[in-house]
Amino acid sequence: MTAVASRPVPTEPTTRPPGSTWHTVSPLLVAALAAGGAYAVHRLFIGTPLGQAIDTAALRGGDFDHPRVSEVLTRTLDATRLASLALVCVLAAAFGAIRRRLDLALASVFVVVAANLITQQLKANLDRPLLDDFPAPNSWPSGHATAAASVAFVLVLVFPRALRGMVGLVGAGYVAIVAVATVWAEWHRPSDVIAALLIVLACGALAVFAVRLRRTGPYRAIHLPNRVVIVALWVGGLLATAAGVFGMASVALSERALPDLVSERFAFLTGTAGIVAATAATFIVWVRLTAAEPADRPAPLQGGTE
């Protein structure tokens, strides 16, 4: 009887899948767009009289007292302390190391250190021209928002891929509350916190680029739970964007043509809508970047085994 030799079955693809190069380098485009967005926010809301007027109106409108809202905002700000955030970051890095993902642990450290260092340097070295008759030192960008967003980003990064969307949704809610609370407390204007979100996203995208360079296997599809979270963030972000655009147009009209058309409370709510929209947008991008992760090794060919 003649033995029939079995045909060798390839277990790995000989080439990377179409689009994988773009998948690797796309975080660089995200980083560039986020940095450009932060620059545009500064030019519009710090460098123009109308931008400053809209921004300051939102700041002044936060001066109100509602017991339950004030309690939530105060507790959130109190929880956003450097020691607490540093502990969370250490735990996140340790969790990445426990999962044998040293790349994610190092990326987490980079995101936190780079984002907060950039924010503090910008705040210390940028001037705020007096264009709106409201003298105040430069507060752009927000350190509180940077700290909160960087911690939320690293938690998304180190958790298992299937859970990153849900962690991102919770993180987005926390960051939005912190950001709104800083405006309510009259510590920051909306542009300060929106710029902080963009700075953290830029640093996070650079970290993801480094991770993807190291992990060169085919990238995997985003899990269904993560897609559901992205859709939820899209819906909330679009609603907030519509409210923010309408509100900003109304505040601008009030500042330049029809005085007292809207109240400062309305301006604060407009700033809140803008913050929510920016938070949703940054977390949509972040969840997509982290959930579409390359595989540990090249995937088997379809139909390669029986």
Side-chain angles (χ1 to χ4, degrees):
M1 181 180 295
T2 304
V4 179
S6 60
R7 180 176 59 87
V9 177
T11 58
E12 297 182 357
T14 56
T15 59
R16 298 177 68 187
S20 60
T21 300
W22 167 249
H23 181 74
T24 300
V25 301
S26 58
L28 290 179
L29 177 61
V30 172
L33 290 175
Y39 175 77
V41 168
H42 186 271
R43 291 296 302 165
L44 176 60
F45 291 101
I46 309 298
T48 66
L50 181 58
Q52 282 199 11
I54 295 173
D55 222 15
T56 299
L59 174 73
R60 289 174 166 174
D63 186 16
F64 69 93
D65 184 25
H66 187 288
R68 289 191 177 181
V69 174
S70 298
E71 181 181 4
V72 170
L73 297 179
T74 300
R75 287 186 176 183
T76 305
L77 281 179
D78 288 342
T80 311
R81 297 184 183 278
L82 182 60
S84 302
L85 298 178
L87 177 61
V88 172
C89 293
V90 170
L91 293 176
F95 185 52
I98 291 172
R99 292 184 59 215
R100 297 182 179 180
R101 291 297 306 272
L102 183 60
D103 55 346
L104 297 186
L106 293 176
S108 299
V109 173
F110 171 80
V111 171
V112 174
V113 173
N116 285 276
L117 182 61
I118 290 171
T119 290
Q120 295 305 321
Q121 288 299 311
L122 289 173
K123 187 185 298 186
N125 293 291
L126 289 177
D127 294 325
R128 181 182 180 87
L130 182 58
L131 304 176
D132 63 349
D133 299 325
F134 186 77
N138 178 56
S139 59
W140 190 96
S142 166
H144 273 78
T146 300
S150 60
V151 167
F153 269 37
V154 300
L155 289 176
V156 174
L157 185 63
V158 300
F159 263 76
R161 196 170 67 99
L163 299 176
R164 288 173 182 169
M166 186 56 62
V167 176
L169 184 62
V170 175
Y174 167 68
V175 170
I177 294 174
V178 170
V180 172
T182 62
V183 180
W184 164 79
E186 298 185 323
W187 294 354
H188 288 287
R189 299 167 176 84
S191 68
D192 298 347
V193 297
I194 292 173
L197 292 170
L198 292 170
I199 289 169
V200 175
L201 179 59
C203 294
L206 291 176
V208 169
F209 170 69
V211 171
R212 290 184 181 181
L213 278 180
R214 179 181 177 274
R215 299 168 66 82
T216 56
Y219 60 88
R220 298 175 288 185
I222 298 176
H223 287 176
L224 179 60
N226 293 333
R227 293 202 299 268
V228 171
V229 167
I230 289 173
V231 170
L233 289 171
W234 263 109
V235 172
L238 288 174
L239 292 174
T241 299
V245 170
F246 172 78
M248 191 164 66
S250 301
V251 175
L253 189 62
S254 179
E255 291 290 335
R256 286 294 177 263
L258 299 173
D260 301 324
L261 174 65
V262 297
S263 65
E264 289 183 341
R265 178 74 57 82
F266 181 90
F268 170 75
L269 295 176
T270 294
T272 298
I275 290 170
V276 172
T279 303
T282 53
F283 274 86
I284 287 169
V285 175
W286 185 239
V287 170
R288 287 189 64 88
L289 283 176
T290 57
E293 185 180 56
D296 294 329
R297 58 185 61 84
L301 285 176
Q302 295 292 330
T305 60
E306 296 182 358

